Amino acid sequence: MFFLYNLLVTFTGFCIKILAVFNPKIGQFVVGRKNVFDTLATRIDATDKTIWFHAASLGEYEQGLPLMEKMKSLYPNHKLVLTFFSPSGYEVRKNNTVADVTVYLPLDTKSNAEKFIDLAHPEMVFFIKYEYWPNYLKTLKSQSIATYLISGVFRKDQSFFKWYGGFYRKALDAFEHFFVQNSNSKDLLLQLGKSNVSVSGDTRFDRVAAILGKDNQLDFISEFKNKQLTIVVGSSWPKDEKILVNYINSSTQQVKFIIAPHNIKSDQIQELQKSITKKTVLFSDKEGKNLSEFDVFIIDTIGILTKIYSEADIAYVGGGFGNPGVHNLLEPATFGVPIVLGPNYSHFAEATALVNLGGCDVILNENDLKEIFDNLIQNTDVRREKGHICSTFVKMNTGALDIILNYISNRSLKKKVTVIIN
């Protein structure tokens, strides 16, 4: 079975190189991996102590960030190596300040896994979310590098729990301990005979809770807001924007709007701006303007949405009209902001929980949006109650980081350790 897997990975790598000629994103995937080993050889000396974190993409990076920051502080003499699988994560966070070396993860071939681990020679490795790469896991296990799964989520539909999943079940033997988000995941692992498992929760709650202790002030947002009630639209897609723009253009409410689209391609931004009849300004065109005079602020840049949520009175989180669904709503939640989202949210446990608790309202169409927005705008008590539900939910679910760190601190670093976050 391992032979067939390696054959498939090799074939996939060949196909990707061909597709890269026609697809820019796949091109980034291929080109970005060309110099990984040279970078590791240049940036990491044989005498260096290292800790390796792996994130599939941007969301997993954010999930693992609190642990990265904590490990950086606890082990200042270690270099942190961060790898990404997808361009959407690497391109956004390749210049992060927490890691000493940031590169793509080479494809999961036997030779790549052995060479990468030889060059990085980690004492601890944190793989963040869903990344069960058999060759990397087999190599880590063969070198007696202890392996941990952090913030794991297991579901019955995964290959591990199918009759044909023996190959992947074998890969799980590399883990010394499983830290999972919920009791259902623990029960599924127990069915596989994995008793080395603890329910720790999700490190994302620790990350967003820590945001409150940071400086979230953005002077230009405060100037635009001008003490008026403000709705922040985060990570919106065209399906979200179509409904939202109709509301913005027709609304007579005394309210301002900040829109931070998921995609910030210039043609899409221009189309969005043209569709809005109220006075609108772009982030890229804000200099020299009196921002308080505008009704709508379009954020055509990345990296500041979290801080913008701190100024929100109401938040609309986009993605709920698409697949796989709504984007991260924990950031506005931690600021105590009531949230509105589209109907596709059931794959996200925190969204389902907040909808059931009443902190989030779900819309199916433009009429729903108008009714919910108008109610939230006009009713201060409703806004405060829903916002309180959201902030309390985040506070009540923190603590995963402490559980993980307590376990790690109780074992000796004399033995090489791998921590995989899922």
Side-chain angles (χ1 to χ4, degrees):
M1 188 64 180
F2 227 111
F3 171 78
L4 292 176
Y5 173 79
N6 286 325
L7 189 63
L8 178 61
V9 172
T10 301
F11 177 72
T12 300
F14 174 76
C15 292
I16 287 174
K17 290 180 180 179
I18 296 176
L19 292 173
V21 177
F22 308 99
N23 187 303
K25 187 172 182 178
I26 295 178
Q28 288 180 322
F29 182 96
V30 173
V31 173
R33 284 170 164 77
K34 285 185 176 180
N35 299 316
V36 169
F37 296 129
D38 289 339
T39 300
L40 292 176
T42 302
R43 304 280 298 278
I44 301 175
D45 296 331
T47 56
D48 285 335
K49 296 179 180 180
T50 67
I51 300 172
W52 171 27
F53 286 84
H54 174 66
S57 191
L58 183 59
E60 291 71 44
Y61 166 83
E62 298 292 345
Q63 186 176 31
L65 185 57
L67 190 55
M68 285 186 257
E69 292 174 335
K70 192 66 177 179
M71 297 303 286
K72 184 83 169 179
S73 126
L74 291 173
Y75 303 101
N77 295 324
H78 287 64
K79 286 185 176 180
L80 260 62
V81 179
L82 172 63
T83 58
F84 285 96
F85 187 77
S86 78
S88 59
Y90 176 80
E91 294 301 327
V92 175
R93 289 291 180 257
K94 61 184 176 183
N95 295 319
N96 70 86
T97 57
V98 69
D100 297 283
V101 183
T102 302
V103 293
Y104 278 99
L105 181 71
L107 289 179
D108 186 40
T109 65
K110 182 175 183 292
S111 60
N112 281 347
E114 291 176 347
K115 188 171 183 179
F116 183 94
I117 292 170
D118 179 60
L119 289 170
H121 51 269
E123 291 184 357
M124 290 183 280
V125 183
F126 300 74
F127 276 55
I128 308 168
K129 200 173 185 179
Y130 297 134
E131 298 287 319
Y132 306 101
W133 298 114
N135 278 305
Y136 281 100
L137 290 173
K138 184 177 182 181
T139 303
L140 293 168
K141 183 174 175 59
S142 71
Q143 295 187 22
S144 299
I145 301 176
T147 306
Y148 295 82
L149 184 67
I150 305 300
S151 296
V153 176
F154 287 91
R155 302 179 307 276
K156 285 184 178 180
D157 60 354
Q158 290 175 306
S159 298
F160 309 113
F161 309 104
K162 304 295 184 180
W163 64 267
Y164 53 80
F167 172 63
Y168 277 101
R169 286 195 292 273
K170 184 67 176 175
L172 295 179
D173 292 343
F175 296 99
E176 180 176 305
H177 200 86
F178 299 87
F179 294 94
V180 295
Q181 293 186 29
N182 52 55
S183 57
N184 182 63
S185 296
K186 179 178 180 179
D187 291 342
L188 287 171
L189 285 171
L190 289 174
Q191 291 176 22
L192 298 182
K194 306 296 183 184
S195 58
N196 51 332
V197 53
S198 301
V199 178
S200 61
D202 189 344
T203 53
R204 289 182 304 160
F205 288 96
D206 296 277
R207 185 191 75 80
V208 296
I211 292 171
L212 294 176
K214 298 181 178 180
D215 180 10
N216 296 297
Q217 179 70 28
L218 293 172
D219 291 339
F220 59 88
I221 294 295
S222 298
E223 180 187 345
F224 167 78
K225 182 180 173 75
N226 196 27
K227 298 181 181 181
Q228 291 191 46
L229 191 146
T230 300
I231 296 176
V232 174
V233 177
S235 303
S236 60
W237 289 80
K239 287 184 179 179
D240 301 297
E241 292 159 5
K242 181 178 180 181
I243 294 176
L244 288 159
V245 166
N246 288 339
Y247 178 84
I248 292 170
N249 289 341
S250 62
S251 177
T252 58
Q253 303 284 351
Q254 295 298 309
V255 61
K256 292 200 170 191
F257 295 86
I258 301 174
I259 306 175
H262 180 73
N263 291 322
I264 56 171
K265 295 180 180 179
S266 60
D267 56 336
Q268 294 182 16
I269 294 295
Q270 290 174 14
E271 184 177 347
L272 174 61
Q273 184 177 21
K274 289 178 181 178
S275 69
I276 299 172
T277 58
K278 293 187 176 178
K279 197 170 183 180
T280 303
V281 63
L282 301 181
F283 172 87
S284 60
D285 195 33
K286 72 181 189 303
E287 299 304 326
K289 291 182 170 60
N290 182 357
L291 298 178
S292 65
E293 296 179 350
F294 292 88
D295 302 304
V296 183
F297 198 165
I298 298 177
I299 310 300
D300 55 342
T301 188
I302 59 175
I304 61 173
L305 178 57
T306 300
K307 292 180 182 291
I308 292 174
Y309 277 135
S310 71
E311 293 277 9
D313 296 288
I314 301 166
Y316 178 96
V317 178
F321 284 93
N323 185 27
V326 69
H327 287 279
N328 184 5
L329 49 76
L330 291 181
E331 290 178 348
T334 199
F335 289 112
V337 180
I339 300 168
V340 181
L341 61 155
N344 296 339
Y345 64 87
S346 60
H347 286 165
F348 303 91
E350 67 277 9
T352 301
L354 277 174
V355 169
N356 291 337
L357 289 169
C360 286
D361 287 306
V362 180
I363 65 165
L364 301 179
N365 51 49
E366 189 174 333
N367 290 333
D368 288 347
L369 180 71
K370 183 180 187 316
E371 180 180 347
I372 290 171
F373 268 4
D374 285 352
N375 182 46
L376 289 171
I377 291 168
Q378 296 165 10
N379 196 324
T380 303
D381 290 339
V382 171
R383 284 203 312 275
R384 288 176 177 171
E385 180 182 357
K386 289 179 176 292
H388 180 70
I389 290 171
C390 288
S391 61
T392 301
F393 174 74
V394 173
K395 292 174 185 175
M396 293 296 291
N397 283 280
T398 58
L401 185 60
D402 288 339
I403 294 173
I404 296 165
L405 289 171
N406 286 339
Y407 188 97
I408 293 173
S409 67
N410 288 331
R411 72 179 318 277
S412 173
L413 275 178
K414 292 180 180 179
K415 180 179 181 181
K416 291 182 179 180
V417 180
T418 300
V419 182
I420 293 190
I421 303 176
N422 185 17

